[in-house]
Amino acid sequence: MKVTLRTEGGLAYFPGMTKSHVLDSTSLSPQEVKELQRLLDKVRVFDHSRPSKHTCRGADQMHYMLTVDDGANHYSLQVCDPVQDPQIKALLSFVKDRLRVKKE
């Protein structure tokens, strides 16, 4: 499974300079894979009746595009800061933390 996180917006945003970061589940421990799946299930990321895009207002607001591909399913979810949904917030935090560790 691959989870791609793209962040746009914010005070120092330059269009065209954003970069997507990919978290591949093969780089995670079995416990982390289980936690990732639990978080995805809580967010109902593959439930296509769930709105995939939230309205973002404000020029300086951060936007997060989270794309999940497990081979059989592909889904994208866009949210804005501040993230209100606690399940989405937990998923974003998990992905950002793992991407930060991967960079170091």
Side-chain angles (χ1 to χ4, degrees):
M1 175 183 335
K2 292 186 182 193
V3 179
T4 304
L5 178 64
R6 182 177 180 94
T7 306
E8 296 181 349
L11 290 172
Y13 173 65
F14 296 100
M17 298 294 287
T18 59
K19 184 178 176 187
S20 296
H21 300 278
V22 179
L23 178 64
D24 192 329
S25 63
T26 60
S27 69
L28 302 175
S29 71
Q31 294 83 6
E32 289 174 315
V33 172
K34 189 181 269 189
E35 178 64 7
L36 176 60
Q37 189 60 57
R38 186 188 71 76
L39 291 167
L40 291 170
D41 290 345
K42 280 199 164 251
V43 171
R44 299 184 351 246
V45 75
F46 292 119
D47 179 356
H48 292 283
S49 66
R50 177 183 181 81
S52 64
K53 190 172 185 176
H54 298 277
T55 304
C56 299
R57 295 196 174 119
D60 297 337
Q61 200 167 25
M62 295 290 288
H63 309 114
Y64 301 101
M65 176 65 80
L66 191 70
T67 305
V68 181
D69 188 346
D70 71 356
N73 297 296
H74 180 87
Y75 190 71
S76 293
L77 177 70
Q78 181 177 340
V79 293
C80 306
D81 255 351
V83 178
Q84 300 297 319
D85 184 311
Q87 284 85 16
I88 294 174
K89 197 176 207 174
L91 176 60
L92 278 172
S93 179
F94 178 89
V95 171
K96 285 195 245 181
D97 287 349
R98 295 321 173 279
L99 287 170
R100 197 171 299 120
V101 168
K102 191 173 121 180
K103 285 183 193 178
E104 295 173 353

